[in-house]
Amino acid sequence: MTLTASPDLTTAPAAVELDGVVKRFGAVTAVDGVSLTIRPGEVVALLGPNGAGKTTTVDMLLGLQRPTDGAVRVYGRAPHEAVALGLVAAVMQTGALLKDYTVAETVRLTAVLFGRTRAEAQAALRRAGLADVANRLVGKCSGGQQQRLRFAMALLPDPELLILDEPTTGMDVAGRHEFWSAIRQDTARGRTVIFATHYLEEADAYADRVVFVRRGRVVADGTAAEVKAMASGRTVRATLPGAAESQLLAVPGVDRAEVRGDTVLLHGGDSDEIARYLLTRTAAHDLEITSRNLEDAFLALTAEDPA
């Protein structure tokens, strides 16, 4: 299986367009006025706490739910039409696999359903890193190997848009690196990827854009660097035995404090003021100041409002 050369992405239609999308389930509003445009070839991380509306948004992109208000288009088509044409494939975190089939048999069966050849099935196995376990029963595969199998199956329709839900769950570090290397090779040729993950370092390392959602609304949209900048402030890390969180919250400039054994982490907008206080008013030592990472931005931008 091969991908064609990348199209001219500057003139190509949007891969995904959500225009004022609202989805209600009775009195519950799961998605609340989301507008989002994703260009062909982009890798977009969709992040948010549980209940933020990520799954409902993905379901609408896959044509499994229809919006209550607003419009969803995938390559200029209604989502269910795009799926029917093989323009969209998904790797979900859960999904039944035939445990008594081998990995190779499962991929070959999927290939037949999409009119693909045996050679294309073999290519999908290799791209998913499954060639060495091709003859293993699916029921004997690890969770990470089963997730790779779902990836191989999703490659067979040769989709323009690939939607990934926790794609590297169960994979070891090397497996996650190989997986994302394969994804990057595909996107270089024009494939669009939207993924949800709890591994925020993956979003930081591999996404072109990071979209944070909270209570059904987009609260941040930009590169990882831009999103981290939205959560202004830095972290002051120091060794301070016996520190209590309540005492640390009283330090000038601190808006959040953590105690991890003898180590304290103080988050705030004026790291110089925090550092000065620790060094002159406490017994803190081994002090370090770092910029906030994507996890800090996630916590700051998706936190619940105080009661």
Side-chain angles (χ1 to χ4, degrees):
M1 181 175 58
T2 58
L3 288 171
T4 58
S6 175
D8 182 358
L9 302 183
T10 60
T11 59
V16 169
E17 287 184 286
L18 290 87
D19 184 11
V21 172
V22 175
K23 180 62 180 178
R24 301 187 186 93
F25 297 95
V28 176
T29 301
V31 177
D32 190 6
V34 168
S35 294
L36 193 66
T37 300
I38 297 173
R39 297 182 297 275
E42 279 195 297
V43 179
V44 178
L46 186 63
L47 307 176
N50 293 336
K54 304 186 302 296
T55 298
T56 302
T57 300
V58 167
D59 284 349
M60 288 189 286
L61 290 176
L62 293 173
L64 301 175
Q65 297 281 354
R66 293 176 182 264
T68 306
D69 293 304
V72 180
R73 307 292 287 178
V74 178
Y75 289 97
R77 303 174 182 271
H80 69 277
E81 293 177 357
V83 171
L85 290 170
L87 295 174
V88 185
V91 179
M92 310 306 286
Q93 188 176 4
T94 59
L97 294 170
L98 300 174
K99 307 295 185 181
D100 295 329
Y101 279 59
T102 67
V103 170
E105 287 170 340
T106 303
V107 174
R108 286 199 295 268
L109 176 61
T110 306
V112 170
L113 295 175
F114 288 104
R116 302 299 181 186
T117 66
R118 192 182 187 92
E120 288 173 314
Q122 286 297 115
L125 277 171
R126 290 193 299 271
R127 289 191 63 76
L130 291 170
D132 58 339
V133 295
N135 295 321
R136 183 175 299 175
L137 289 175
V138 172
K140 299 294 185 181
C141 290
S142 68
Q145 289 167 338
Q146 291 188 17
Q147 196 69 340
R148 284 171 176 261
L149 177 56
R150 294 184 180 99
F151 176 49
M153 295 165 68
L155 289 174
L156 285 165
D158 199 12
E160 296 292 332
L161 172 63
L162 188 58
I163 296 176
L164 311 171
D165 181 22
E166 301 292 341
T168 59
T169 297
M171 295 185 191
D172 58 23
V173 174
R176 288 163 61 187
H177 178 75
E178 292 171 3
F179 174 85
W180 285 111
S181 293
I183 290 293
R184 270 302 182 190
Q185 291 174 16
D186 286 351
T187 56
R189 299 178 176 91
R191 179 169 288 157
T192 309
V193 174
I194 300 173
F195 72 96
T197 182
H198 283 98
Y199 296 119
L200 295 185
E201 68 273 18
E202 288 188 345
D204 202 349
Y206 299 110
D208 300 317
R209 284 170 65 189
V210 174
V211 177
F212 282 174
V213 292
R214 174 179 173 272
R215 292 187 176 181
R217 296 182 178 182
V218 173
V219 295
D221 180 3
T223 66
E226 290 170 341
V227 170
K228 284 184 281 190
M230 293 179 191
S232 60
R234 296 186 176 187
T235 298
V236 179
R237 182 189 186 103
T239 300
L240 184 58
E245 186 175 315
S246 58
Q247 295 172 320
L248 296 172
L249 288 171
V251 173
V254 171
D255 54 43
R256 186 162 60 90
E258 300 174 60
V259 178
R260 302 177 184 175
D262 289 342
T263 300
V264 299
L265 293 93
L266 307 181
H267 310 273
D270 192 339
S271 57
D272 290 339
E273 183 179 14
I274 296 170
R276 188 180 302 112
Y277 184 94
L278 290 178
L279 292 174
T280 60
R281 304 286 294 275
T282 75
H285 56 93
D286 296 332
L287 189 142
E288 177 185 2
I289 299 175
T290 60
S291 298
R292 285 189 171 181
N293 57 27
L294 195 61
E295 180 178 350
D296 294 319
F298 178 87
L299 292 172
L301 294 170
T302 64
E304 292 296 320
D305 295 328

